[in-house]
Amino acid sequence: MSINKNTLIMYVLFILSPLLSLPLIFLQLKKKLDKGIIFIFSLFIAILSYRYIPNLTNDKARYIERSEMFSNFSFSQLLDYFSLVKRPDFIFDTINFIFSKLDVSIGFFFFFITFST
């Protein structure tokens, strides 16, 4: 696998400053020069999601509240919660539950969800 000079510059610039590498990322996406650029772009958006602090009216604030609530739940209480609220996003809440039970920072949860989607 060979990496051209522009791609190498973009990777180094991304390591130094993801924000400054954004124009090069968009250029690489437009020219379709590198298949790994989608990974880098997803990483950039995930970093933004990790750093974003929501206000109280944002959905992300509800996810933080749910994470705090799930930290006190057992798995059977989580299943009871799912049967009570009857929402279709049980996979998201299950991942939120796992991260809260592992006592992982909510920022890493947002990073993981954003990067994987």
Side-chain angles (χ1 to χ4, degrees), residues 41-106:
F41 187 67
S42 298
L43 193 60
F44 176 76
I45 299 298
I47 291 170
L48 290 179
S49 179
Y50 172 80
R51 300 289 300 163
Y52 175 70
I53 300 172
N55 58 16
L56 289 176
T57 59
N58 193 313
D59 281 347
K60 211 172 194 183
R62 298 292 142 314
Y63 303 148
I64 293 170
E65 290 172 355
R66 253 188 259 159
S67 177
E68 291 171 359
M69 179 179 67
F70 289 157
S71 66
N72 299 321
F73 276 20
S74 67
F75 187 70
S76 62
Q77 289 173 319
L78 178 70
L79 295 177
D80 291 340
Y81 171 78
F82 288 152
S83 65
L84 180 68
V85 294
K86 297 180 181 171
R87 279 199 314 258
D89 58 347
F90 65 91
I91 295 173
F92 181 83
D93 282 339
T94 303
I95 296 170
N96 195 350
F97 172 78
I98 291 169
F99 271 74
S100 68
K101 281 308 204 182
L102 293 174
D103 201 27
V104 176
S105 169
I106 192 72

